[in-house]
């Protein structure tokens, strides 16, 4: 039988105890400002598309713009809670392009945001929020594809 070393045992237990009480790493807010700006850019693009496409389609784009802006405000709330600072949301500029080009850009941006939100669903504090935002992103992607498909009929 091996000899018992009380000092070695104490060191092992100290490491175990230290690991048990380690604080979780703070959540990264590294790309939240970029996500906020992308949501604001989508909102502006959707409002421009609403002006280019009157009627039923225009109303859909107004709704999409409102929801994109709400997503940006939600992300800003997360950023404030994470950093304790109230940062201003800038104004998003969008170049006016042909409708089909704008629709493609919006769809691509929605897909990138969706991927980001889905990757953050396991966040211990904001996971359910990112899950909800991912769901809205999936809805936006479907809506955009319906609108793009409808353009082919006209």
């Amino acid at each position: 039988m091996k000899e018992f070393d009380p000092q070695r045992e104490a060191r092992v237990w100290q490491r175990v105890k230290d690991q048990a009480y380690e604080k979780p790493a703070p959540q990264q807010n590294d790309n939240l400002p970029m996500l906020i700006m992308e949501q604001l850019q989508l909102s502006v693009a959707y409002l421009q598309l609403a002006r280019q496409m009157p009627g039923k389609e225009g109303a859909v784009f107004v709704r999409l713009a409102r929801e994109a802006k709400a997503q940006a405000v939600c992300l800003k709330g997360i950023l404030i809670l994470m950093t304790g600072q109230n940062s201003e949301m800038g104004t998003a500029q969008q170049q006016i392009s042909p409708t089909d080009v704008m629709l493609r850009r919006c769809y691509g941006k929605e897909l990138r945001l969706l991927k980001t939100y889905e990757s953050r669903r396991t966040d211990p504090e904001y996971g359910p929020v990112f899950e909800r935002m991912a769901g809205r992103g999936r809805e936006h992607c479907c809506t955009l594809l319906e609108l793009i498909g409808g353009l082919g009929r006209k």
Side-chain angles (χ1 to χ4, degrees):
M1 185 167 194
K2 293 185 180 183
E3 281 194 35
F4 174 73
D5 181 0
Q7 289 178 342
R8 185 174 183 185
E9 180 185 19
R11 285 192 308 267
V12 169
W13 280 111
Q14 184 62 42
R15 280 196 311 264
V16 169
K17 200 164 72 173
D18 287 346
Q19 289 174 358
Y21 292 107
E22 262 183 31
K23 291 182 181 178
Q27 294 299 312
Q28 296 289 324
N29 68 344
D30 53 352
N31 66 347
L32 283 177
M34 186 256 324
L35 295 174
I36 293 168
M37 184 53 66
E38 286 199 21
Q39 286 291 171
L40 290 174
Q41 288 170 350
L42 272 172
S43 181
V44 169
Y46 289 146
L47 288 175
Q48 288 177 354
L49 284 163
R51 285 190 286 274
Q52 292 176 9
M53 300 176 73
K56 182 180 161 187
E57 289 90 1
V60 171
F61 284 117
V62 169
R63 177 182 58 82
L64 290 173
R66 186 178 60 248
E67 290 174 356
K69 177 88 183 244
Q71 301 263 82
V73 173
C74 184
L75 290 167
K76 182 182 176 192
I78 292 172
L79 185 63
I80 290 169
L81 289 177
M82 290 174 90
T83 64
Q85 297 174 353
N86 187 357
S87 63
E88 289 297 316
M89 290 194 311
T91 56
Q93 300 296 321
Q94 181 79 18
Q95 8 175 198
I96 298 177
S97 302
T99 302
D100 61 329
V101 172
M102 287 182 71
L103 286 169
R104 267 192 235 105
R105 283 184 191 150
C106 289
Y107 183 74
K109 196 169 290 227
E110 287 283 4
L111 279 178
R112 286 188 300 278
L113 287 166
L114 172 59
K115 183 178 178 182
T116 301
Y117 298 150
E118 286 180 337
S119 73
R120 292 183 145 202
R121 289 181 305 181
T122 59
D123 182 285
E125 286 187 68
Y126 306 106
V129 176
F130 286 115
E131 174 63 37
R132 183 165 186 249
M133 292 174 82
R136 187 172 276 175
R138 285 188 287 275
E139 290 173 18
H140 286 191
C141 286
C142 287
T143 300
L144 285 170
L145 290 174
E146 289 172 13
L147 292 164
I148 291 167
L151 287 177
R153 290 181 290 180
K154 294 182 178 179

